[in-house]
Amino acid sequence: MAGRFAPRSARATLPHQPAAPAPLRAADPSQDGPPLREAEPSHGGPPLRGADPSQEGPPLTREWTPPGPLDLRLVLGPLRRGPADPTFRMVADGTFWRATRTPEGPGTLRVAARGDRIEAAAWGPGADWLLAGLPALLGADDDPDAFVPRHRLLALTRHRRPGLRLLRTGLVMESLIPSILEQKVTTDEAYRAWRHLVRRFGTPAPGPTADLGLHVMPDPRGWAMIPSWEWHRANVDAKRSSTILRAVRVARRLEEAATMNLPEALARLELIPGIGPWTSAETLQRSNGAPDAVTVGDLHLPGIVGHALADHRDADDEEMLTLLTPYEGQRHRATRLILLSGHTPKRRAPRMTPGNITHL
């Protein structure tokens, strides 16, 4: 699920402080059948348009003041698909880079905390769209106060992680495709497939990103044109590649789920054969910032929740949902806090051996 592991540093991060390392994802368990600046004192309103946002031109820029503590690593971490994700980078000075495909075209976003404000710059045809959506991306639409902890562990974790907010990208396909790649394989396998496919069939990200190696993922037609042997070379089996091909054929309709309420959005995604509750929840946690999109069908999560809330590491999905009943409407946030607490059961079995179909 989004934000699987706790950052290495346990200290809370305030808006004027550097943040802790980005969370990584755990194994996917389930295959479901510009120079112009805008000084903005509030979190509302679109950025001004003035400079050329093309790939070689100067960026559009924006400043935004969060309504409360904000930890960029905790908020943006779920977008990172492995340490070498070609669409996401975090550099040593705490700056985050994100390359994506917006409704207006490819775009690159650079985000950094400067004191109690957020500074952002964007390049490419999608620059204006990315800056307009900056507050939502960083959790301005999220309401952490809606969560009422019923367990001491969750109360302590929330106190220690005041900068946690649930992001909302407003983009479905960029989260759906890597989630499909993560079905029933180890995270390392899924991350390698994502890197291979985006670098080979995506496009270099707009802006000064050559040294970072950032790429924008293919558009729907680009995904559809990937030949079968390239899926094989990426170690993606026919089940997962077929699901992606079915999804990109109706990409426009699936993107509409970003504006739907959670039940309707889940139903829209799960109309596609091969997309079930695990994949749809993993997608909507990012695209919609859905606080109740709890991940079911996960290999590890029920045991983690059971261990944290009831000292029962062998809990199944049904038991997990029962334990999360007090957090109805905020179950994804509850599980995120559990994972960030570090209170997880010790491993009892060897790691899953990665599969490899590339030589078949």
Side-chain angles (χ1 to χ4, degrees), residues 6 21 34 82 98 103 105 119 134 141 145 175 198 223-224 243 272 276 295 323 327 345 354:
R98 157 172 156 78
E119 292 183 356
L134 179 68
D141 299 331
D145 294 334
S175 292
V198 172
W223 286 110
T243 300
I272 306 301
T295 303
L323 290 170
Y327 303 109

Side-chain angles (χ1 to χ4, degrees), residues 118-326:
I118 300 296
E119 292 183 356
W123 294 261
D128 200 55
W129 191 94
L130 287 169
L131 292 182
L134 179 68
L137 176 69
L138 299 183
D141 299 331
D142 185 33
D143 183 13
D145 294 334
F147 179 80
V148 180
R150 307 291 185 182
H151 297 79
R152 184 172 181 272
L153 177 68
L154 297 189
L156 286 173
T157 306
R158 187 176 73 160
H159 176 73
R160 292 167 179 165
R161 305 284 186 178
L164 173 64
R165 287 179 172 269
L166 303 183
L167 82 165
R168 181 182 183 278
T169 67
L171 300 168
V172 171
M173 297 305 293
E174 71 159 18
S175 292
L176 177 61
I177 291 173
S179 294
I180 295 172
L181 290 174
E182 291 167 6
Q183 293 176 348
K184 277 195 173 176
V185 297
T186 66
T187 48
D188 285 345
E189 291 175 82
Y191 294 158
R192 283 197 298 269
W194 176 247
R195 289 196 300 267
H196 174 85
L197 294 169
V198 172
R199 287 171 177 166
R200 183 161 178 79
F201 299 101
T203 56
T209 64
D211 291 342
L212 297 171
L214 283 178
H215 284 67
V216 177
M217 77 172 194
D219 60 13
R221 177 175 172 79
W223 286 110
M225 295 299 290
I226 296 176
S228 59
W229 59 85
E230 289 291 351
W231 292 106
H232 189 85
R233 185 175 297 172
N235 199 29
V236 179
D237 57 51
K239 226 174 221 186
R240 287 178 292 153
S241 62
S242 296
T243 300
I244 292 173
L245 294 177
R246 284 190 291 266
V248 298
R249 291 189 191 110
V250 290
R252 182 181 62 83
R253 298 301 305 275
L254 295 182
E255 290 289 357
E256 293 172 359
T259 61
M260 297 177 176
N261 61 40
L262 181 58
E264 292 176 345
L266 290 169
R268 174 65 62 91
L269 296 188
E270 291 171 22
L271 285 172
I272 306 301
I275 299 176
W278 188 93
T279 306
S280 59
E282 288 288 306
T283 300
L284 298 176
Q285 289 165 6
R286 297 166 173 83
S287 64
N288 293 32
D292 200 44
V294 60
T295 303
V296 296
D298 193 274
L299 180 61
H300 304 291
L301 188 61
I304 294 173
V305 173
H307 175 75
L309 302 185
D311 197 24
H312 179 35
R313 63 176 296 161
D314 296 316
D316 57 16
D317 277 336
E318 184 177 353
E319 293 172 279
M320 176 182 71
L321 293 176
T322 299
L323 290 170
L324 292 174
T325 299

